[in-house]
Amino acid sequence: MSTITSEELSATTLLRFATAGSVDDGKSTLVGRLLHDSKSILTDQLEAVERASASRGQEAPDLALLTDGLRAEREQGITIDVAYRYFATPRRRFILADTPGHVQYTRNMVTGASTAELTVILVDARNGVVEQTRRHAAIAALLRVPHVVLAVNKMDLVEYRETVFAEIAEEFTAYASELGVPEVTAIPISALAGDNVVDPSANMDWYGGPTFLEHLEKVPVSHDLAHCHARLPVQYVIRPQTAEHPDYRGYAGQIAAGTFHVGEAVTVLPSGRTSTISGIDLLGEPVDAAWTTQSVTVLLDDDIDISRGDLIVPTKDAPATTQDVEATVCHVADQPLTVGHRVLIKHGTRTVKAIVRDIPSRLTLDDLSLHPHPGQLVANDIGRVKIRTSEPLPVDSYADSRRTGSFILIDPADGTTLTAGMVGESFAAPEPVKDAPDDDGWDF
Amino acid sequence: MTTTVAQAEEGTASPYALSHLDSLESEAVHIFREVAGEFENPVILFSGGKDSIVMLHLALKAFAPAPVPFSLLHVDTGHNFPEVLAYRDRVVAAHGLRLHVASVQDYIDRGALRERPDGTRNPLQTLPLTERIQSEKFDAVFGGGRRDEEKARAKERVFSLRDEFSQWDPRRQRPELWNLYNGRHAPGEHVRVFPLSNWTELDVWQYIAREGIELPQIYFAHDREVFRRGGMWLTAGEWGGPKDGETVEKRLVRYRTVGDMSCTGAVDSDAVTLDDVIAEIAASRLTERGATRADDKMSEAAMEDRKREGYF
């Protein structure tokens, strides 16, 4: 029975993070251990796991069963798709996007990382940095996840030796820096034995850093808004047209980036009309300023024509609009994406027709080599695409803004989500990719 | 002023960090507005339980000062708590909403559904729900489901595509990329939308407390005539209890979830205020469903199977 302090019930921050790693690296055990040791597993869940483990003839409760949700997975002992898990400590609330790490599940890792502020990459201390680790690092770098944690697991199987950990940490950090990953925190753990997951390890007194959970609790969750371009995609126009509010006209949306102030001069894209913010309504209360990711309703001085799909931006900091979008994409559908493919593109709250003009290259994540003109991208492929849109879109570079620099491609015939796209350069680093020998000069 | 800047240790938060409740609220409002912008005929499943009450509260906030642009749908099992039905009707009247009721009893009376030997009617809700979705041509159906409730729900999407039979195919669910929800569907298909996907039971209660939302009284401790069945305290009533060998006694109890009388159990509790309830839940070592829902204990795959059939 844990005791609850009043502190635990007060407002805390929320961290969304994602895991990457395979069954063999002990990912399910790490997640199970995290939930178990942070006392987030409740009695009946543990009993259910014990019952299921016993019925299969397993002696100890299998913590991985806590997280494997679907019958197909339990029968095959694998994890499919992304599962979302929830736990809390007195310091913070957590949402974990738990993604399988097999090679064919790149799309799931991309999905999990797209909303994550931190990614955990798991390695087996006996194997060190392997091809899959490099793949996971590349996805974290492509998705511009602000914080990366390298969890070096199974330290108990290498006698808790510092040199083993240090070598792996050094090799990984060098690789990740090459990709432009802004920050790597390496932590030596044993998920099975519990070392450094929640409680500090008595077996590794050479390690002076935080435990895995302490790090999750302390990592900064919000960004310095001073350097963000303010962006508000309009979701819906609120017009009560009632006796009480005959002339109310509010533009509702969730601020995708930056800060807006009452009195600020704004431009509406793609029309380019300008006005001034006369009021900001924060879910029922007037405020002077609002920032990402608050859902607000903005009122303007002038009665201009604005509808769903428009983007409100500061006049002094408006993005260019374009009908030619070049991006790095991850293809997530079973049917391939081909040159000439007619699609829909959803960017912010705007969905327009588009055509895939070119697929300049495909990227191999294992060694970051480029393969020019693959002709198509299949499920789990990462590549560059050039898209021509039927109407101008105010896209930002994904490096500047994860929400207004991202888009999805949709199949107009059946509505399938085909592709996840990130506008602009692939990696933060200047040139981490290697040209394949037969490269014809496409610059990534 | 409802916005609270999260208290955190130095260096971990900026003045712009939203508290966890503000983050969840903002996300849910974004989901409601996306559906309003992209669908023709959305409906909110409203049972009078706390999750659907919070959903409605968020919808009211999302479109204020205009009215909520959705109607409500209640699947009435015929075994609902009278306090909850009274609450439902009060709320509908107070906000000038349109309420659709799909009745399990009507189906039983017509012979379209058969009463189960165990008397529980929860599994019988699927047919009236899916037929009403088809006949009213609802294209988006909001549910109060949360991903922390049960393992199969952990894989559920915020926008969950259902075919013309309302079936859920875990392999056909679309990836959730950034906050770009894809609600496109073929005629006859619809999308189930779960604005509370990322909320936990504790979040819901904390939000109810913060916003001062009124709840049906059965969520708070009160004296009630109950009997023991399947390890739970059930309310005595015409729906099918007590039976031979079951004895009624008066106990001080409250409900953690509100569903069908036949499968929703009360817990011993002396929590009479919201703060009492929150403290009790925070200290509880049993998940909400495990303690109070008989239907989830059926088998490891029970929920998964029922979701595939079109259950919430």
Side-chain angles (χ1 to χ4, degrees), chain B residues 141-176:
Chain B
V141 179
F142 290 103
R146 307 190 319 262
R147 288 194 283 222
D148 80 321
E149 284 181 274
E150 197 276 339
K151 277 200 303 189
R153 283 201 170 164
K155 308 246 156 166
E156 184 57 279
R157 298 286 166 261
V158 175
F159 274 45
S160 173
L161 188 68
R162 304 299 170 101
D163 65 14
E164 64 270 45
F165 304 102
S166 285
Q167 294 177 118
W168 175 74
D169 177 355
R171 288 167 199 275
R172 245 192 99 199
Q173 299 308 311
R174 295 165 180 163
E176 281 173 11

mmCIF file of all heavy atoms in Angstrom, chain B residues 141-176:
data_model
loop_
_atom_site.group_PDB
_atom_site.id
_atom_site.type_symbol
_atom_site.label_atom_id
_atom_site.label_comp_id
_atom_site.label_asym_id
_atom_site.label_seq_id
_atom_site.Cartn_x
_atom_site.Cartn_y
_atom_site.Cartn_z
ATOM 1 N N VAL B 141 -18.613 8.843 -33.640
ATOM 2 C CA VAL B 141 -19.260 8.480 -32.382
ATOM 3 C C VAL B 141 -18.237 8.636 -31.263
ATOM 4 O O VAL B 141 -17.254 7.898 -31.207
ATOM 5 C CB VAL B 141 -19.785 7.023 -32.433
ATOM 6 C CG1 VAL B 141 -20.442 6.653 -31.107
ATOM 7 C CG2 VAL B 141 -20.754 6.839 -33.596
ATOM 8 N N PHE B 142 -18.447 9.628 -30.402
ATOM 9 C CA PHE B 142 -17.517 9.863 -29.293
ATOM 10 C C PHE B 142 -17.783 8.886 -28.164
ATOM 11 O O PHE B 142 -18.926 8.747 -27.721
ATOM 12 C CB PHE B 142 -17.703 11.275 -28.720
ATOM 13 C CG PHE B 142 -17.252 12.381 -29.625
ATOM 14 C CD1 PHE B 142 -18.179 13.127 -30.341
ATOM 15 C CD2 PHE B 142 -15.902 12.683 -29.741
ATOM 16 C CE1 PHE B 142 -17.764 14.169 -31.155
ATOM 17 C CE2 PHE B 142 -15.482 13.726 -30.557
ATOM 18 C CZ PHE B 142 -16.413 14.469 -31.270
ATOM 19 N N GLY B 143 -16.737 8.240 -27.684
ATOM 20 C CA GLY B 143 -16.860 7.365 -26.523
ATOM 21 C C GLY B 143 -15.903 7.834 -25.432
ATOM 22 O O GLY B 143 -14.893 8.483 -25.715
ATOM 23 N N GLY B 144 -16.223 7.498 -24.196
ATOM 24 C CA GLY B 144 -15.409 7.940 -23.066
ATOM 25 C C GLY B 144 -14.286 6.978 -22.717
ATOM 26 O O GLY B 144 -13.674 7.096 -21.664
ATOM 27 N N GLY B 145 -14.005 6.008 -23.609
ATOM 28 C CA GLY B 145 -12.989 4.994 -23.311
ATOM 29 C C GLY B 145 -11.616 5.596 -23.073
ATOM 30 O O GLY B 145 -11.240 6.575 -23.703
ATOM 31 N N ARG B 146 -10.889 4.988 -22.142
ATOM 32 C CA ARG B 146 -9.533 5.450 -21.836
ATOM 33 C C ARG B 146 -8.572 4.293 -22.051
ATOM 34 O O ARG B 146 -8.884 3.144 -21.755
ATOM 35 C CB ARG B 146 -9.453 5.934 -20.383
ATOM 36 C CG ARG B 146 -10.500 6.981 -20.010
ATOM 37 C CD ARG B 146 -10.196 7.566 -18.643
ATOM 38 N NE ARG B 146 -9.766 6.532 -17.713
ATOM 39 C CZ ARG B 146 -10.552 5.935 -16.829
ATOM 40 N NH1 ARG B 146 -11.814 6.259 -16.741
ATOM 41 N NH2 ARG B 146 -10.069 5.010 -16.037
ATOM 42 N N ARG B 147 -7.370 4.622 -22.536
ATOM 43 C CA ARG B 147 -6.429 3.543 -22.855
ATOM 44 C C ARG B 147 -5.830 2.898 -21.607
ATOM 45 O O ARG B 147 -5.223 1.837 -21.704
ATOM 46 C CB ARG B 147 -5.326 4.069 -23.773
ATOM 47 C CG ARG B 147 -5.855 4.331 -25.175
ATOM 48 C CD ARG B 147 -4.773 4.524 -26.209
ATOM 49 N NE ARG B 147 -4.148 5.819 -26.164
ATOM 50 C CZ ARG B 147 -3.829 6.546 -27.239
ATOM 51 N NH1 ARG B 147 -4.115 6.093 -28.451
ATOM 52 N NH2 ARG B 147 -3.230 7.694 -27.111
ATOM 53 N N ASP B 148 -6.017 3.520 -20.450
ATOM 54 C CA ASP B 148 -5.432 2.911 -19.248
ATOM 55 C C ASP B 148 -6.375 1.881 -18.637
ATOM 56 O O ASP B 148 -6.033 1.236 -17.654
ATOM 57 C CB ASP B 148 -5.106 3.983 -18.198
ATOM 58 C CG ASP B 148 -6.328 4.421 -17.405
ATOM 59 O OD1 ASP B 148 -7.420 4.541 -18.007
ATOM 60 O OD2 ASP B 148 -6.205 4.639 -16.190
ATOM 61 N N GLU B 149 -7.580 1.732 -19.215
ATOM 62 C CA GLU B 149 -8.591 0.908 -18.544
ATOM 63 C C GLU B 149 -8.314 -0.583 -18.618
ATOM 64 O O GLU B 149 -8.651 -1.328 -17.716
ATOM 65 C CB GLU B 149 -9.961 1.160 -19.186
ATOM 66 C CG GLU B 149 -10.585 2.462 -18.770
ATOM 67 C CD GLU B 149 -11.949 2.620 -19.423
ATOM 68 O OE1 GLU B 149 -12.022 3.100 -20.562
ATOM 69 O OE2 GLU B 149 -12.929 2.235 -18.787
ATOM 70 N N GLU B 150 -7.757 -1.004 -19.749
ATOM 71 C CA GLU B 150 -7.703 -2.442 -19.979
ATOM 72 C C GLU B 150 -6.680 -2.675 -21.083
ATOM 73 O O GLU B 150 -6.459 -1.826 -21.930
ATOM 74 C CB GLU B 150 -9.115 -2.879 -20.399
ATOM 75 C CG GLU B 150 -9.421 -4.340 -20.310
ATOM 76 C CD GLU B 150 -8.943 -5.057 -21.547
ATOM 77 O OE1 GLU B 150 -8.752 -4.410 -22.596
ATOM 78 O OE2 GLU B 150 -8.729 -6.269 -21.435
ATOM 79 N N LYS B 151 -6.049 -3.861 -21.085
ATOM 80 C CA LYS B 151 -4.933 -4.087 -22.013
ATOM 81 C C LYS B 151 -5.288 -3.939 -23.486
ATOM 82 O O LYS B 151 -4.518 -3.398 -24.268
ATOM 83 C CB LYS B 151 -4.341 -5.484 -21.785
ATOM 84 C CG LYS B 151 -3.344 -5.513 -20.647
ATOM 85 C CD LYS B 151 -2.428 -6.704 -20.730
ATOM 86 C CE LYS B 151 -3.211 -7.996 -20.759
ATOM 87 N NZ LYS B 151 -2.333 -9.169 -20.632
ATOM 88 N N ALA B 152 -6.464 -4.436 -23.900
ATOM 89 C CA ALA B 152 -6.823 -4.332 -25.318
ATOM 90 C C ALA B 152 -7.032 -2.876 -25.695
ATOM 91 O O ALA B 152 -6.797 -2.471 -26.823
ATOM 92 C CB ALA B 152 -8.073 -5.149 -25.622
ATOM 93 N N ARG B 153 -7.478 -2.066 -24.730
ATOM 94 C CA ARG B 153 -7.700 -0.648 -25.014
ATOM 95 C C ARG B 153 -6.396 0.128 -25.142
ATOM 96 O O ARG B 153 -6.378 1.215 -25.700
ATOM 97 C CB ARG B 153 -8.575 -0.017 -23.934
ATOM 98 C CG ARG B 153 -10.025 -0.374 -24.110
ATOM 99 C CD ARG B 153 -10.947 0.584 -23.418
ATOM 100 N NE ARG B 153 -12.323 0.304 -23.823
ATOM 101 C CZ ARG B 153 -13.386 0.745 -23.176
ATOM 102 N NH1 ARG B 153 -13.225 1.480 -22.105
ATOM 103 N NH2 ARG B 153 -14.592 0.483 -23.598
ATOM 104 N N ALA B 154 -5.309 -0.423 -24.625
ATOM 105 C CA ALA B 154 -4.014 0.253 -24.744
ATOM 106 C C ALA B 154 -3.616 0.399 -26.209
ATOM 107 O O ALA B 154 -2.794 1.231 -26.561
ATOM 108 C CB ALA B 154 -2.941 -0.506 -23.976
ATOM 109 N N LYS B 155 -4.201 -0.437 -27.071
ATOM 110 C CA LYS B 155 -3.865 -0.404 -28.501
ATOM 111 C C LYS B 155 -4.894 0.386 -29.292
ATOM 112 O O LYS B 155 -4.819 0.460 -30.513
ATOM 113 C CB LYS B 155 -3.826 -1.826 -29.054
ATOM 114 C CG LYS B 155 -2.940 -2.738 -28.245
ATOM 115 C CD LYS B 155 -1.754 -3.194 -29.014
ATOM 116 C CE LYS B 155 -0.652 -3.567 -28.049
ATOM 117 N NZ LYS B 155 0.414 -4.307 -28.667
ATOM 118 N N GLU B 156 -5.878 0.921 -28.626
ATOM 119 C CA GLU B 156 -6.928 1.665 -29.299
ATOM 120 C C GLU B 156 -6.379 3.005 -29.780
ATOM 121 O O GLU B 156 -5.426 3.541 -29.211
ATOM 122 C CB GLU B 156 -8.098 1.863 -28.308
ATOM 123 C CG GLU B 156 -9.318 2.532 -28.858
ATOM 124 C CD GLU B 156 -9.917 1.822 -30.065
ATOM 125 O OE1 GLU B 156 -9.388 2.035 -31.175
ATOM 126 O OE2 GLU B 156 -10.897 1.095 -29.898
ATOM 127 N N ARG B 157 -6.962 3.515 -30.839
ATOM 128 C CA ARG B 157 -6.554 4.804 -31.386
ATOM 129 C C ARG B 157 -7.537 5.885 -30.961
ATOM 130 O O ARG B 157 -8.685 5.587 -30.644
ATOM 131 C CB ARG B 157 -6.529 4.734 -32.926
ATOM 132 C CG ARG B 157 -5.544 3.720 -33.458
ATOM 133 C CD ARG B 157 -4.127 4.248 -33.302
ATOM 134 N NE ARG B 157 -3.132 3.203 -33.501
ATOM 135 C CZ ARG B 157 -2.531 2.569 -32.517
ATOM 136 N NH1 ARG B 157 -2.843 2.832 -31.264
ATOM 137 N NH2 ARG B 157 -1.622 1.666 -32.763
ATOM 138 N N VAL B 158 -7.106 7.137 -30.997
ATOM 139 C CA VAL B 158 -8.017 8.244 -30.698
ATOM 140 C C VAL B 158 -9.134 8.271 -31.744
ATOM 141 O O VAL B 158 -10.309 8.430 -31.426
ATOM 142 C CB VAL B 158 -7.266 9.589 -30.678
ATOM 143 C CG1 VAL B 158 -8.222 10.752 -30.496
ATOM 144 C CG2 VAL B 158 -6.229 9.594 -29.555
ATOM 145 N N PHE B 159 -8.758 8.101 -33.016
ATOM 146 C CA PHE B 159 -9.727 7.949 -34.099
ATOM 147 C C PHE B 159 -9.688 6.480 -34.488
ATOM 148 O O PHE B 159 -8.693 6.005 -35.035
ATOM 149 C CB PHE B 159 -9.330 8.780 -35.337
ATOM 150 C CG PHE B 159 -9.791 10.203 -35.303
ATOM 151 C CD1 PHE B 159 -9.653 10.977 -34.163
ATOM 152 C CD2 PHE B 159 -10.351 10.795 -36.432
ATOM 153 C CE1 PHE B 159 -10.065 12.305 -34.141
ATOM 154 C CE2 PHE B 159 -10.760 12.121 -36.418
ATOM 155 C CZ PHE B 159 -10.619 12.878 -35.277
ATOM 156 N N SER B 160 -10.766 5.757 -34.221
ATOM 157 C CA SER B 160 -10.768 4.317 -34.421
ATOM 158 C C SER B 160 -11.785 3.963 -35.501
ATOM 159 O O SER B 160 -12.989 4.110 -35.312
ATOM 160 C CB SER B 160 -11.129 3.651 -33.094
ATOM 161 O OG SER B 160 -11.308 2.281 -33.251
ATOM 162 N N LEU B 161 -11.280 3.504 -36.628
ATOM 163 C CA LEU B 161 -12.134 3.234 -37.778
ATOM 164 C C LEU B 161 -12.963 1.961 -37.564
ATOM 165 O O LEU B 161 -12.446 0.957 -37.098
ATOM 166 C CB LEU B 161 -11.246 3.069 -39.012
ATOM 167 C CG LEU B 161 -11.965 2.957 -40.354
ATOM 168 C CD1 LEU B 161 -12.640 4.274 -40.707
ATOM 169 C CD2 LEU B 161 -10.965 2.577 -41.439
ATOM 170 N N ARG B 162 -14.270 2.041 -37.884
ATOM 171 C CA ARG B 162 -15.138 0.869 -37.791
ATOM 172 C C ARG B 162 -15.798 0.630 -39.142
ATOM 173 O O ARG B 162 -16.203 1.583 -39.808
ATOM 174 C CB ARG B 162 -16.236 1.090 -36.742
ATOM 175 C CG ARG B 162 -15.711 1.434 -35.362
ATOM 176 C CD ARG B 162 -14.836 0.329 -34.799
ATOM 177 N NE ARG B 162 -14.147 0.762 -33.581
ATOM 178 C CZ ARG B 162 -14.539 0.432 -32.355
ATOM 179 N NH1 ARG B 162 -15.592 -0.302 -32.181
ATOM 180 N NH2 ARG B 162 -13.851 0.846 -31.309
ATOM 181 N N ASP B 163 -15.930 -0.632 -39.528
ATOM 182 C CA ASP B 163 -16.562 -0.928 -40.810
ATOM 183 C C ASP B 163 -18.081 -0.840 -40.670
ATOM 184 O O ASP B 163 -18.604 -0.453 -39.633
ATOM 185 C CB ASP B 163 -16.115 -2.293 -41.336
ATOM 186 C CG ASP B 163 -16.578 -3.436 -40.444
ATOM 187 O OD1 ASP B 163 -17.449 -3.218 -39.569
ATOM 188 O OD2 ASP B 163 -16.067 -4.552 -40.619
ATOM 189 N N GLU B 164 -18.806 -1.222 -41.738
ATOM 190 C CA GLU B 164 -20.264 -1.036 -41.688
ATOM 191 C C GLU B 164 -20.927 -1.957 -40.672
ATOM 192 O O GLU B 164 -22.095 -1.815 -40.367
ATOM 193 C CB GLU B 164 -20.892 -1.178 -43.084
ATOM 194 C CG GLU B 164 -20.755 -2.547 -43.707
ATOM 195 C CD GLU B 164 -19.485 -2.688 -44.547
ATOM 196 O OE1 GLU B 164 -18.391 -2.269 -44.096
ATOM 197 O OE2 GLU B 164 -19.586 -3.229 -45.652
ATOM 198 N N PHE B 165 -20.170 -2.916 -40.135
ATOM 199 C CA PHE B 165 -20.705 -3.755 -39.060
ATOM 200 C C PHE B 165 -20.214 -3.270 -37.693
ATOM 201 O O PHE B 165 -20.339 -3.978 -36.697
ATOM 202 C CB PHE B 165 -20.299 -5.220 -39.280
ATOM 203 C CG PHE B 165 -20.729 -5.751 -40.612
ATOM 204 C CD1 PHE B 165 -19.829 -5.874 -41.654
ATOM 205 C CD2 PHE B 165 -22.065 -6.085 -40.831
ATOM 206 C CE1 PHE B 165 -20.226 -6.341 -42.896
ATOM 207 C CE2 PHE B 165 -22.475 -6.553 -42.072
ATOM 208 C CZ PHE B 165 -21.555 -6.676 -43.106
ATOM 209 N N SER B 166 -19.610 -2.067 -37.676
ATOM 210 C CA SER B 166 -19.062 -1.479 -36.455
ATOM 211 C C SER B 166 -17.872 -2.254 -35.902
ATOM 212 O O SER B 166 -17.476 -2.062 -34.770
ATOM 213 C CB SER B 166 -20.128 -1.366 -35.350
ATOM 214 O OG SER B 166 -20.987 -0.306 -35.632
ATOM 215 N N GLN B 167 -17.321 -3.173 -36.693
ATOM 216 C CA GLN B 167 -16.250 -4.013 -36.178
ATOM 217 C C GLN B 167 -14.921 -3.277 -36.114
ATOM 218 O O GLN B 167 -14.620 -2.437 -36.950
ATOM 219 C CB GLN B 167 -16.092 -5.250 -37.055
ATOM 220 C CG GLN B 167 -17.297 -6.160 -36.973
ATOM 221 C CD GLN B 167 -17.156 -7.338 -37.905
ATOM 222 O OE1 GLN B 167 -17.120 -8.473 -37.483
ATOM 223 N NE2 GLN B 167 -17.078 -7.057 -39.194
ATOM 224 N N TRP B 168 -14.143 -3.624 -35.134
ATOM 225 C CA TRP B 168 -12.824 -3.047 -34.902
ATOM 226 C C TRP B 168 -11.793 -4.076 -35.325
ATOM 227 O O TRP B 168 -11.805 -5.203 -34.840
ATOM 228 C CB TRP B 168 -12.665 -2.729 -33.413
ATOM 229 C CG TRP B 168 -11.337 -2.229 -32.968
ATOM 230 C CD1 TRP B 168 -10.817 -0.975 -33.196
ATOM 231 C CD2 TRP B 168 -10.366 -2.905 -32.158
ATOM 232 N NE1 TRP B 168 -9.599 -0.845 -32.577
ATOM 233 C CE2 TRP B 168 -9.286 -2.016 -31.940
ATOM 234 C CE3 TRP B 168 -10.281 -4.185 -31.587
ATOM 235 C CZ2 TRP B 168 -8.167 -2.351 -31.182
ATOM 236 C CZ3 TRP B 168 -9.168 -4.519 -30.836
ATOM 237 C CH2 TRP B 168 -8.124 -3.605 -30.646
ATOM 238 N N ASP B 169 -10.930 -3.704 -36.258
ATOM 239 C CA ASP B 169 -9.867 -4.612 -36.670
ATOM 240 C C ASP B 169 -8.545 -4.002 -36.251
ATOM 241 O O ASP B 169 -8.144 -2.980 -36.794
ATOM 242 C CB ASP B 169 -9.915 -4.805 -38.188
ATOM 243 C CG ASP B 169 -8.789 -5.698 -38.693
ATOM 244 O OD1 ASP B 169 -7.915 -6.088 -37.874
ATOM 245 O OD2 ASP B 169 -8.767 -5.999 -39.893
ATOM 246 N N PRO B 170 -7.874 -4.610 -35.264
ATOM 247 C CA PRO B 170 -6.656 -3.971 -34.753
ATOM 248 C C PRO B 170 -5.612 -3.754 -35.846
ATOM 249 O O PRO B 170 -4.803 -2.841 -35.765
ATOM 250 C CB PRO B 170 -6.148 -4.940 -33.688
ATOM 251 C CG PRO B 170 -6.852 -6.227 -33.916
ATOM 252 C CD PRO B 170 -8.152 -5.889 -34.588
ATOM 253 N N ARG B 171 -5.645 -4.562 -36.885
ATOM 254 C CA ARG B 171 -4.641 -4.406 -37.945
ATOM 255 C C ARG B 171 -5.008 -3.338 -38.957
ATOM 256 O O ARG B 171 -4.201 -2.982 -39.804
ATOM 257 C CB ARG B 171 -4.422 -5.752 -38.650
ATOM 258 C CG ARG B 171 -3.656 -6.711 -37.754
ATOM 259 C CD ARG B 171 -3.703 -8.127 -38.282
ATOM 260 N NE ARG B 171 -3.374 -9.043 -37.209
ATOM 261 C CZ ARG B 171 -2.137 -9.379 -36.875
ATOM 262 N NH1 ARG B 171 -1.115 -8.871 -37.495
ATOM 263 N NH2 ARG B 171 -1.928 -10.228 -35.884
ATOM 264 N N ARG B 172 -6.252 -2.863 -38.895
ATOM 265 C CA ARG B 172 -6.657 -1.824 -39.843
ATOM 266 C C ARG B 172 -6.615 -0.430 -39.215
ATOM 267 O O ARG B 172 -7.026 0.551 -39.826
ATOM 268 C CB ARG B 172 -8.096 -2.094 -40.315
ATOM 269 C CG ARG B 172 -8.184 -2.427 -41.797
ATOM 270 C CD ARG B 172 -9.637 -2.403 -42.257
ATOM 271 N NE ARG B 172 -9.980 -1.155 -42.918
ATOM 272 C CZ ARG B 172 -11.226 -0.741 -43.077
ATOM 273 N NH1 ARG B 172 -12.224 -1.408 -42.594
ATOM 274 N NH2 ARG B 172 -11.470 0.383 -43.721
ATOM 275 N N GLN B 173 -6.185 -0.333 -37.984
ATOM 276 C CA GLN B 173 -6.152 0.977 -37.334
ATOM 277 C C GLN B 173 -5.024 1.813 -37.925
ATOM 278 O O GLN B 173 -3.972 1.294 -38.257
ATOM 279 C CB GLN B 173 -5.992 0.820 -35.823
ATOM 280 C CG GLN B 173 -7.121 0.050 -35.167
ATOM 281 C CD GLN B 173 -8.498 0.606 -35.521
ATOM 282 O OE1 GLN B 173 -8.738 1.806 -35.422
ATOM 283 N NE2 GLN B 173 -9.395 -0.262 -35.959
ATOM 284 N N ARG B 174 -5.283 3.103 -38.046
ATOM 285 C CA ARG B 174 -4.297 3.973 -38.671
ATOM 286 C C ARG B 174 -3.312 4.487 -37.636
ATOM 287 O O ARG B 174 -3.698 4.761 -36.503
ATOM 288 C CB ARG B 174 -5.009 5.156 -39.321
ATOM 289 C CG ARG B 174 -5.888 4.696 -40.459
ATOM 290 C CD ARG B 174 -6.857 5.780 -40.865
ATOM 291 N NE ARG B 174 -7.685 5.310 -41.973
ATOM 292 C CZ ARG B 174 -8.817 5.891 -42.341
ATOM 293 N NH1 ARG B 174 -9.248 6.947 -41.675
ATOM 294 N NH2 ARG B 174 -9.502 5.428 -43.353
ATOM 295 N N PRO B 175 -2.050 4.649 -38.041
ATOM 296 C CA PRO B 175 -1.079 5.180 -37.087
ATOM 297 C C PRO B 175 -1.438 6.617 -36.686
ATOM 298 O O PRO B 175 -1.954 7.376 -37.506
ATOM 299 C CB PRO B 175 0.241 5.150 -37.856
ATOM 300 C CG PRO B 175 -0.121 5.041 -39.289
ATOM 301 C CD PRO B 175 -1.458 4.374 -39.358
ATOM 302 N N GLU B 176 -1.178 6.966 -35.429
ATOM 303 C CA GLU B 176 -1.433 8.328 -34.945
ATOM 304 C C GLU B 176 -0.155 9.133 -35.031
ATOM 305 O O GLU B 176 0.709 9.022 -34.177
ATOM 306 C CB GLU B 176 -1.885 8.281 -33.483
ATOM 307 C CG GLU B 176 -3.321 7.912 -33.342
ATOM 308 C CD GLU B 176 -3.738 7.688 -31.903
ATOM 309 O OE1 GLU B 176 -2.972 8.021 -30.973
ATOM 310 O OE2 GLU B 176 -4.833 7.167 -31.718
#
